[in-house]
Amino acid sequence: MHAFPHSTTSTPTAVPVPPSLALPVIEAEFPRHVHPYWPRLQENTRAWLREKRLMPADKVTEYADGLCYTDLMAGYYIGAPEDVLQAIADYSAWFFVWDDRHDRDIVHGRAAGWRRLRLRLHTALDAPRHHLTHPDPVVAGFADSVLRLYSFLPRTWNARFARHFHEVIEAYDREFHNRVRGHVPEVEEYLALRRLTFAHWIWTDLLEPSAGMELPDAVRKDPAYRRPALLSQEFAAWYNDLCSLPKEIAGDEVHNLGISLITHEGLTLEDAVAEVRRRVEKCIAEFLDAERDALRLAVRLDDGTVRGKELAAAVRACLGNMRNWFGSVYWFHHESGRYMVDSWDDRSTPPYVNNEAAGEK
């Protein structure tokens, strides 16, 4: 069941949450919202996945809605203009497809294919217009989504987004080689890598076109803004680790906070799950404190000038969506077919992936 089925309202259908993954504070204090554009967003992203050949048409029909990729974004970037949200949702769907391609390249030993894809993505990020018709759908789809994202804010924002995503690509390359070698990173090494592979600063960057304004460095780098932004992303990454641990153990993954704790800290599986959960809960508590500091920052920015008023409103909009990320991520993990490992014929092979070496023919 996907989020908000048969509905265009913000009232979701409840889904059961296993006790080990339930977070009462999220359910009580982080009310769930959905962008009113969501039904059309879902329809348009399905069409985009087919048009760009990012998933086979039959897999789009059978799995796309149940994977809830658009639900995740529609619950996060509330208030975004429709064209901005559509570009973000398509980019997000691409990101999941790319993540699956990366996984399949590892599983099937396609080192040369991954190396080519990595270099092509770096090039497409800097010149997306020249890659719109690339024969590899992952490259062409990336170019299309990035070009659209680049259209909303000034070149300075584009350059920052590109810089952050170049780092993400290289982090995925480190993950590739770690998995090929069977190297489980130590906890601190893993946490630093995870901030890149989860694309913490990409999703944070995208708060700005959603709010309609590029924030100046002095605001973005202010600890009162940066801390809640980081905590919202850390929560998402670690909660993902908690929920995906069975999937990743089944798939011989080495990148999961729980796996690092088991391997390097000598924890049992049960103790590792408890420790990841403790960190997740600490993130929530610290965010609630950091949120108050960010609201005070917004008050300080509203200095009576038009610019000050606009900056304060943008910070409040971004902060509100940082808060939305908690609930959206939480419910996504219990509604998306991406994590329903027990329903797969093969626990190590998601049924929605394309195992072919796409773009290498």
Side-chain angles (χ1 to χ4, degrees):
M1 179 184 298
H2 56 79
F4 324 118
H6 315 301
S7 173
T8 58
T9 73
S10 60
T11 305
T13 299
V15 296
V17 179
S20 62
L21 302 175
L23 296 171
V25 65
I26 295 293
E27 298 181 28
E29 297 192 34
F30 291 80
R32 193 176 190 188
H33 304 287
V34 61
H35 198 292
Y37 181 64
W38 171 73
R40 280 198 290 150
L41 183 74
Q42 185 180 52
E43 178 182 345
N44 291 339
T45 296
R46 278 200 312 268
W48 186 79
L49 287 168
R50 283 192 292 264
E51 176 193 345
K52 299 302 177 184
R53 298 179 294 115
L54 287 164
M55 290 175 66
D58 60 333
K59 291 188 184 292
V60 172
T61 298
E62 186 170 359
Y63 296 109
D65 287 358
L67 289 170
C68 301
Y69 297 158
T70 55
D71 308 52
L72 179 64
M73 294 298 110
Y76 184 16
Y77 295 102
I78 305 299
E82 291 179 0
D83 58 342
V84 172
L85 184 60
Q86 187 68 64
I88 292 173
D90 291 349
Y91 166 76
S92 171
W94 172 86
F95 202 117
F96 281 111
V97 171
W98 175 53
D99 185 74
D100 291 333
R101 166 82 167 270
H102 176 260
D103 176 71
R104 294 297 96 186
D105 280 350
I106 294 166
V107 168
H108 295 291
R110 300 193 294 242
W114 164 250
R115 184 168 58 251
R116 282 190 288 270
L117 178 59
R118 167 183 158 244
L119 295 175
R120 288 166 179 169
L121 291 179
H122 277 305
T123 304
L125 183 58
D126 291 329
R129 194 176 301 278
H130 300 305
H131 292 78
L132 294 173
T133 59
H134 195 282
D136 185 337
V138 172
V139 177
F142 178 62
D144 179 81
S145 62
V146 166
L147 189 62
R148 288 154 63 199
L149 291 173
Y150 282 176
S151 70
F152 300 121
L153 291 179
R155 290 182 179 180
T156 46
W157 184 92
N158 297 349
R160 185 194 344 142
F161 180 94
R163 183 173 68 253
H164 286 160
F165 203 78
H166 281 304
E167 293 175 347
V168 170
I169 296 168
E170 286 306 293
Y172 263 71
D173 189 54
R174 291 200 294 278
E175 277 205 350
F176 187 98
H177 294 292
N178 283 348
R179 284 183 64 187
V180 168
R181 294 186 291 118
H183 169 68
V184 178
E186 294 189 11
V187 172
E188 291 307 314
E189 177 193 353
Y190 169 74
L191 294 177
L193 182 61
R194 183 64 161 148
R195 290 182 186 117
L196 295 173
T197 58
F198 197 82
H200 281 23
W201 300 116
I202 290 293
W203 306 117
T204 302
D205 288 338
L206 290 168
L207 292 168
E208 293 169 63
S210 299
M213 173 183 285
E214 181 184 20
L215 296 176
D217 284 355
V219 174
R220 285 192 307 104
K221 295 180 179 180
D222 191 307
Y225 181 86
R226 193 171 178 86
R227 182 156 177 73
L230 178 60
L231 287 166
S232 72
Q233 295 298 320
E234 298 279 61
F235 163 81
W238 298 345
Y239 192 67
N240 175 269
D241 280 4
L242 190 63
C243 294
S244 63
L245 187 56
K247 169 178 177 274
E248 294 182 340
I249 289 175
D252 293 324
E253 251 286 6
V254 297
H255 298 102
N256 185 292
L257 180 53
I259 293 172
S260 288
L261 289 166
I262 291 166
T263 304
H264 296 291
E265 305 292 331
L267 272 61
T268 64
L269 175 59
E270 182 180 4
D271 287 344
V273 167
E275 173 59 16
V276 176
R277 184 185 174 94
R278 184 192 69 79
R279 291 178 184 235
V280 165
E281 291 173 338
K282 185 180 179 186
C283 260
I284 300 168
E286 291 184 355
F287 175 83
L288 292 172
D289 287 337
E291 184 180 39
R292 288 189 282 271
D293 290 338
L295 288 171
R296 285 191 283 270
L297 171 64
V299 170
R300 292 198 302 274
L301 290 170
D302 193 353
D303 58 4
T305 65
V306 171
R307 174 68 171 169
K309 183 177 182 179
E310 291 174 345
L311 275 177
V315 166
R316 290 189 183 99
C318 292
L319 181 63
N321 282 334
M322 292 174 201
R323 165 176 272 273
N324 286 333
W325 192 223
F326 285 82
S328 193
V329 163
Y330 179 75
W331 291 109
F332 169 70
H333 281 86
H334 302 297
E335 294 168 340
S336 173
R338 194 173 179 86
Y339 304 100
M340 296 179 182
V341 181
D342 291 339
S343 67
W344 301 353
D345 292 335
D346 176 355
R347 288 171 62 88
S348 67
T349 305
Y352 48 83
V353 299
N354 182 1
N355 279 291
E356 295 178 2
E360 298 305 317
K361 296 178 181 178

